[in-house]
Amino acid sequence: ACGSGTRSKTVVVNPTVGTPTTPTGTTARCIGGGTDAYTITPVSGATSYSWSVSGGSNMIGASTTTPSTTVTWDGTYSGTAVVSVQANGCGGPSDWATLDVIVSPLTVGGSIAGSDTICVGTSTGDLTLSGHTGDVVKWQKKFNDGSWTDISNTTTTHSEVIASAGSWSFRAEVQSGSCDADFSDPIVVVAQNAPVITGNLSNV
């Protein structure tokens, strides 16, 4: 006699949070600080984001709850830092997406050891670079007060046969990651002509 009725309730089904893309931004920098921006494509179902960076203290700068952030680098840190981001949403946080950032130490040119006097037509012997920080980009040489010319050599040793008498200077160019290149201290090799003996020798 009282009739009948219905009741309803709306249930909102949110999508499970997706997986972030690999962050984009600077992947190589030189020690000494500075600020870089990193970002990802907005993640489906994400309500917030969590960013972190390993390798130094307090290096995350801007808000960590958006799909982008900034990293203000510790001016004393060098090594491999990992910038990470996680999307938060329905079903809990997503897996972390990461990006490696190589922070290189300052370049040090180093010094070269080897022979300082040789005869024309003989080899300099191994000229060996040491005390450097970074990779060898090339070697250079110059004759007396001339200009430096490039030598295609990326190893830490160099040798060559000297054909002219005079002073030959050699140096290596070194670069550490994205830091500025630097030259080693040069080594000077003096090439001398062999003595020429003239006249007759007789027994006394």
Side-chain angles (χ1 to χ4, degrees):
C2 295
S4 62
T6 59
R7 293 183 179 181
S8 64
K9 183 176 182 179
T10 300
V11 178
V12 177
V13 180
N14 293 314
T16 302
V17 65
T19 301
T21 57
T22 300
T24 59
T26 298
T27 58
R29 67 165 19 257
C30 187
I31 189 174
T35 300
D36 292 315
Y38 294 90
T39 186
I40 60 169
T41 302
V43 176
S44 174
T47 56
S48 66
Y49 300 85
S50 300
W51 289 86
S52 70
V53 59
S54 68
S57 60
N58 303 318
M59 292 201 294
I60 287 289
S63 171
T64 63
T65 61
T66 64
S68 63
T69 193
T70 59
V71 175
T72 300
W73 296 101
D74 182 338
T76 63
Y77 173 79
S78 66
T80 301
V82 181
V83 177
S84 304
V85 62
Q86 192 179 49
N88 304 307
C90 184
S94 69
D95 292 334
W96 289 95
T98 62
L99 178 70
D100 289 346
V101 181
I102 306 300
V103 183
S104 301
L106 290 174
T107 303
V108 177
S111 59
I112 300 171
S115 299
D116 55 7
T117 304
I118 62 171
C119 289
V120 171
T122 62
S123 173
T124 60
D126 284 343
L127 305 177
T128 303
L129 175 69
S130 63
H132 60 290
T133 300
D135 298 320
V136 177
V137 177
K138 62 186 177 186
W139 285 69
Q140 290 186 325
K141 66 180 178 181
K142 72 174 180 178
F143 179 56
N144 291 331
D145 294 324
S147 300
W148 290 101
T149 59
D150 292 343
I151 303 171
S152 297
N153 181 1
T154 57
T155 69
T156 56
T157 60
H158 177 73
S159 64
E160 65 177 79
V161 175
I162 300 300
S164 301
S167 295
W168 292 85
S169 300
F170 296 88
R171 68 182 184 181
E173 183 179 9
V174 179
Q175 186 170 23
S176 174
S178 58
C179 298
D180 292 338
D182 190 20
F183 286 102
S184 69
D185 295 331
I187 185 172
V188 179
V189 179
V190 178
Q192 299 175 339
N193 288 313
V196 178
I197 299 175
T198 61
N200 296 319
L201 297 179
S202 59
N203 295 325
V204 177

